[in-house]
Amino acid sequence: MRLINHIIILAAACICSMPAIAQTWLPDSLGADFQMRYVTQPSDRFGAERCTIMRDTATTAGSKRGILYIHGFNDYFFQKEMAEKFVSQGYNFYAVDLRRYGRSIIPGQRPFDVRSLDEYFPDIDSALTVMQHTGLTDITLMGHSTGGLIATYYMLKHPDAPVRQMILNSPFLDWNLGRIEWLVPVVSAIGAVFPEMKISQGDGTVYGQSLDSLFHGEWNYNRAWKMHRSPDVTAGWVRAIDRAQRFIDSHQMEIRIPVLLMCSTASYYGDDWTEDAQYRDAVLDVNDIVRIGTRLGRHVTLVRVEGGMHDLFLSSRPVRTALYRYVFKWLSNH
C-alpha cells in the first residue's frame, strides 16, 4: 500500500511539473489567418512563466509537413510574409515566442534574460507536441540568430526529437566583439557568482534602422518587443550563451539530421548607417558562422547569400525571393 501511495505521489508531481497547454486558439495580431495560444510553464527563478505558440491557419489540407520557427534575441515572431511563403508551398507554419519574449512577456518580467538555454527546451517541446497532435510528422526546426543557437543546442541534447531537418538563418554560434572578445570567459565566470550584473551592448542602432519602415527598411513590428538599441544583458545571460556555444564546439559533427546553414556573404562593421548596411550582416561575423556551422554534422549544406542582411528573410525583396526558391528546393530534396 505504501508503494502505491509513493507511485501516486510521484505521478502527481510529474503532472504538476508538465506545461499546461491552453486548448483555445485566439486571434493573433498578424491577421485573420494567424492564431496564437499561451502555454503556462512551470515557474522558475524568474517567477511565473509562459511561452506562446503561433500558427498560420491557411494550411494545405492533409499536409504532414510543418515548420517550427524560433526567433532571435531582442526579437519575436512577426514575419508574416515568411509564414505565408511556407504555407503557399504546403507547409503548416508554427512559431514560438519563447518565455520572456514578445507575446510571452508577463508584466513585471525583465525581457530576454536567461541563465541557461536549457530553460527554453520546454517551450520548444510544447510547440512540437502541439504540432504532433495535429498530425504533423515531417517537421523542420528553423532558428534565426540566437534562435539558431538555441535550435542547434536543442538538437544536440535531444537527438531523438521529432525533427527531420533544421534550417539555420545566421545562427549566433560565436561572439562578434573584435578585440574585446577575450572578456567573454571573464564575464561568464562572473555570471556564475553575480548573474544580475548588467552588461551594456552599446548604443548601435544600425541594424534596427535597416529593418524599420520608419527609417530605411520595409518592416513594421512592435518596437517595444524588438528595440532599435539592443538592451543591456546580464552576466548570467552571457554565461548562458557562452556555455551553449562551448557545448556546441565540443560536440562537432554530432547533429544527425540534414542542416541548411545560411548566412550573408559579408558583415557590416560601421557604427553609423550607410546603404551597405542593407546588404550585409550588421550583427554577426559571417566567417564565424561558416567556420563553426559547417562542423555541426555530416549533412550540412552551406549557402552564402549575396546581399543578405542578418535576418536573411528580411533582406531586400530580390534577395529573399531567390532565397525562398532555394530553401524550398532544398527541403524538397530532403
Side-chain angles (χ1 to χ4, degrees):
M1 187 69 178
R2 183 175 299 175
L3 177 60
I4 294 175
N5 289 337
H6 282 309
I7 292 174
I8 293 173
I9 293 171
L10 179 61
C14 291
I15 292 172
C16 291
S17 65
M18 294 173 63
I21 300 179
Q23 298 303 309
T24 303
W25 288 97
L26 304 172
D28 188 71
S29 58
L30 289 179
D33 289 334
F34 290 84
Q35 295 178 324
M36 56 82 75
R37 71 189 198 186
Y38 297 116
V39 179
T40 301
Q41 301 286 7
S43 298
D44 58 17
R45 74 189 74 197
F46 296 98
E49 295 293 356
R50 69 183 180 187
C51 68
T52 312
I53 302 171
M54 286 72 61
R55 69 179 181 183
D56 186 332
T57 60
T59 54
T60 302
S63 172
K64 301 296 183 181
R65 298 181 296 178
I67 301 289
L68 176 58
Y69 175 78
I70 306 175
H71 58 79
F73 176 77
N74 184 26
D75 204 357
Y76 73 105
F77 172 64
F78 66 92
Q79 291 88 341
K80 179 178 179 179
E81 179 190 85
M82 177 173 66
E84 292 171 343
K85 290 289 186 182
F86 277 95
V87 167
S88 72
Q89 296 296 314
Y91 292 87
N92 298 272
F93 190 92
Y94 286 74
V96 58
D97 275 7
L98 300 169
R99 59 188 65 197
R100 300 184 288 280
Y101 280 91
R103 301 164 179 82
S104 303
I105 296 173
I106 298 173
Q109 283 186 329
R110 180 169 58 206
F112 317 150
D113 207 5
V114 72
R115 295 293 173 265
S116 168
L117 298 195
D118 297 61
E119 294 173 23
Y120 298 130
F121 290 173
D123 304 347
I124 300 172
D125 290 337
S126 296
L128 289 173
T129 297
V130 168
M131 296 175 75
Q132 287 183 295
H133 283 175
T134 62
L136 302 182
T137 56
D138 184 357
I139 298 175
T140 299
L141 185 61
M142 180 164 61
H144 164 59
S145 196
T146 302
L149 170 66
I150 294 168
T152 302
Y153 185 57
Y154 178 87
M155 289 309 304
L156 282 171
K157 289 205 163 187
H158 297 80
D160 295 321
V163 174
R164 293 256 182 112
Q165 48 272 322
M166 181 165 61
I167 298 175
L168 301 177
N169 173 2
S170 305
F172 179 23
L173 301 177
D174 198 7
W175 302 90
N176 183 26
L177 299 174
R179 289 177 294 179
I180 65 169
E181 196 161 312
W182 64 272
L183 285 171
V184 170
V186 177
V187 176
S188 180
I190 293 172
V193 183
F194 302 106
E196 303 296 325
M197 187 179 78
K198 290 186 177 181
I199 308 294
S200 172
Q201 298 220 78
D203 298 320
T205 61
V206 170
Y207 183 53
Q209 291 184 46
S210 300
L211 298 179
D212 197 331
S213 61
L214 298 179
F215 291 85
H216 308 287
E218 57 179 291
W219 306 102
N220 292 302
Y221 46 82
N222 186 323
R223 294 162 184 86
W225 292 347
K226 183 176 179 62
M227 310 171 199
H228 278 192
R229 177 190 174 279
S230 191
D232 293 348
V233 294
T234 62
W237 181 89
V238 172
R239 180 173 176 80
I241 297 295
D242 183 51
R243 294 183 72 184
Q245 290 177 343
R246 289 175 180 270
F247 183 87
I248 291 169
D249 195 50
S250 65
H251 289 77
Q252 297 178 15
M253 309 302 290
E254 292 189 15
I255 291 182
R256 301 196 299 246
I257 60 175
V259 177
L260 177 58
L261 175 68
M262 311 186 302
C263 66
S264 180
T265 56
S267 296
Y268 181 85
Y269 289 103
D271 293 328
D272 300 312
W273 184 90
T274 69
E275 191 173 356
D276 284 346
Q278 300 298 124
Y279 304 102
R280 299 183 180 185
D281 189 326
V283 178
L284 296 178
D285 184 334
V286 295
N287 295 319
D288 287 338
I289 295 174
V290 173
R291 174 176 55 84
I292 300 171
T294 51
R295 302 199 304 256
L296 294 179
R298 301 188 182 279
H299 307 285
V300 177
T301 302
L302 170 66
V303 56
R304 303 195 67 167
V305 181
E306 183 71 35
M309 300 176 68
H310 177 55
D311 188 337
L312 296 164
F313 291 122
L314 300 182
S315 302
S316 66
R317 185 171 297 278
V319 172
R320 63 183 189 267
T321 297
L323 181 60
Y324 281 123
R325 189 180 306 118
Y326 184 93
V327 168
F328 294 134
K329 181 178 180 181
W330 183 85
L331 284 170
S332 68
N333 290 333
H334 291 84

